[in-house]
Amino acid sequence: MKEALIAALPPVPTCVVIYTDGSCQPNPGRGGYAAILCRYVDGQLLKRAEVYGCADDTTNNLMEMRAAIEALGIIRNGERMPAFIRSDSKYLIDGKNKWLAGWINKGWRKSDGKPVENVECWQEIVGACDGLDVTFEWLRGHSGDPMNEAVDRLAAKARAQGKPRVVKIMEGEDA
């Protein structure tokens, strides 16, 4: 696992890097979500956390969003370090970066006047980001990024295990 952590180089020396993924099979059906959080200070990995879980009768998009929500919930409110959420979900990243402000301004309506899908999760994301410096970044899935591959495997494991929520925290040398 140390090799995978080396690939998760932080964009700035002191920050939290979060990889998220969701899995659903069939879609809709039973789903799993996962997030791996890496806390860096001066470029050194100090702490690593994993959060994952599953839900029945869900969708891939909901699991992608749940991964981000659960990860943000682990970060302390008022955290001063910048956080970077990296996901291969265009829905999550474009929703947060391109569409969210417009949806809010239109009373949670899309440009065609229809209600925004998954509005409850979008509202949770807004609330979870409040008071934090969070940047949402898209990365191409299954393109060899070791951390993206690790979180993908963790989401599939969560779906298969059927546990509602698990959190693991590793510090220091164990990170």
Side-chain angles (χ1 to χ4, degrees):
M1 188 50 84
K2 288 287 187 190
E3 295 79 19
L5 293 177
I6 292 168
L9 293 175
V12 295
T14 299
C15 67
V16 179
V17 180
I18 304 167
Y19 283 80
T20 66
D21 203 9
S23 172
C24 198
Q25 194 171 12
N27 190 21
R30 176 178 239 180
Y33 66 85
I36 299 174
L37 298 83
C38 298
R39 178 179 293 273
Y40 294 91
V41 174
D42 296 329
Q44 297 296 311
L45 178 64
L46 294 187
K47 186 182 288 186
R48 174 186 158 123
E50 297 176 351
V51 58
Y52 56 93
C54 79
D56 290 322
D57 194 29
T58 190
T59 66
N60 190 59
N61 284 340
L62 284 169
M63 292 292 92
E64 297 280 1
M65 296 169 77
R66 179 57 44 202
I69 292 164
E70 294 291 337
L72 288 166
I74 291 177
I75 299 175
R76 293 184 307 273
N77 191 16
E79 169 69 68
R80 294 182 186 209
M81 282 187 195
F84 297 85
I85 291 186
R86 295 178 172 169
S87 173
D88 60 11
S89 170
K90 292 289 274 179
Y91 178 70
L92 174 65
I93 302 304
D94 287 348
K96 178 65 173 80
N97 293 339
K98 296 179 181 179
W99 309 324
L100 190 60
W103 291 340
I104 293 170
N105 288 337
K106 294 176 185 146
W108 294 101
R109 299 266 176 200
K110 299 187 289 187
S111 59
D112 63 5
K114 293 180 182 175
V116 171
E117 295 172 7
N118 307 316
V119 69
E120 296 84 9
C121 283
W122 288 115
Q123 290 169 336
E124 282 188 77
I125 288 172
V126 169
C129 289
D130 190 38
L132 299 175
D133 176 9
V134 184
T135 302
F136 282 67
E137 301 176 334
W138 180 76
L139 57 93
R140 183 174 308 283
H142 308 290
S143 63
D145 182 303
M147 293 302 290
N148 178 253
E149 299 296 332
V151 78
D152 179 72
R153 286 189 302 273
L154 193 56
K157 173 183 168 183
R159 186 186 73 241
Q161 284 185 342
K163 294 180 181 175
R165 185 170 188 265
V166 176
V167 178
K168 293 183 179 179
I169 298 176
M170 289 96 23
E171 296 187 44
E173 293 298 314
D174 296 330

